[in-house]
Amino acid sequence: MSPQRPYLLRAMYDWLVDNQCTPHLIVDATLEFVDVPQEHVQDGQIVLNVHPDAVTRFTMDLNHVSFEARFGGATRRIWVPMTAVTAIYARENGAGTIFEQEPGLDDYQGDPESASEPAAPAKGKPSLKVVK
């Protein structure tokens, strides 16, 4: 079976946002391929506000969570393999869940810089076709 963490994380994230809460991720910043501002890491962990108003270009798939956010006035690209997400909770009331180690949830094996980005719309003159 496929790992549960990506599915549970997505469900909990959606539930928190739908209930007007501010979701925060706790991330193990010591794992390979984690790309977070190291100056904000404490005891090997970082807490990230992932509310839609706090981040841009947010993506969450079966392998990783990535987005852009401002730290100290500068925009930073954040890349977190799914294995590095240890918990998600609401800032307002602490509702959330902690993730246990999970067999089958392998570390992301790739470079965050080479990850596929959404394709930009093609430039040029638009065209329409009649389809019958």
Side-chain angles (χ1 to χ4, degrees):
M1 290 184 71
S2 61
Q4 296 177 13
R5 187 177 308 185
Y7 299 97
L8 296 175
L9 180 63
R10 170 57 77 183
M12 186 62 67
Y13 173 85
D14 289 343
W15 178 70
L16 291 172
V17 171
D18 288 350
N19 285 283
Q20 289 76 48
C21 292
T22 307
H24 283 70
L25 298 180
I26 299 177
V27 173
D28 180 349
T30 64
L31 296 180
E32 189 175 15
F33 299 116
V34 173
D35 187 7
V36 296
Q38 292 299 310
E39 63 271 20
H40 297 284
V41 172
Q42 294 180 352
D43 298 323
Q45 294 184 330
I46 187 168
V47 177
L48 300 168
N49 176 353
V50 290
H51 189 275
D53 292 340
V55 300
T56 59
R57 299 181 63 175
F58 182 83
T59 61
M60 182 186 312
D61 64 24
L62 297 177
N63 296 318
H64 76 281
V65 177
S66 65
F67 56 90
E68 290 180 355
R70 295 181 66 82
F71 292 86
T75 301
R76 295 280 308 264
R77 182 169 181 254
I78 305 303
W79 180 273
V80 180
M82 197 55 67
T83 55
V85 178
T86 60
I88 183 171
Y89 70 94
R91 178 184 67 201
E92 293 78 6
N93 59 17
T97 190
I98 296 171
F99 298 107
E100 302 276 329
Q101 290 292 350
E102 186 176 0
L105 187 62
D106 298 322
D107 287 340
Y108 175 78
Q109 297 299 315
D111 181 3
E113 297 300 321
S114 67
S116 61
E117 295 289 333
K123 301 284 183 191
K125 186 176 177 182
S127 64
L128 296 174
K129 256 190 239 192
V130 175
V131 178
K132 293 183 182 184

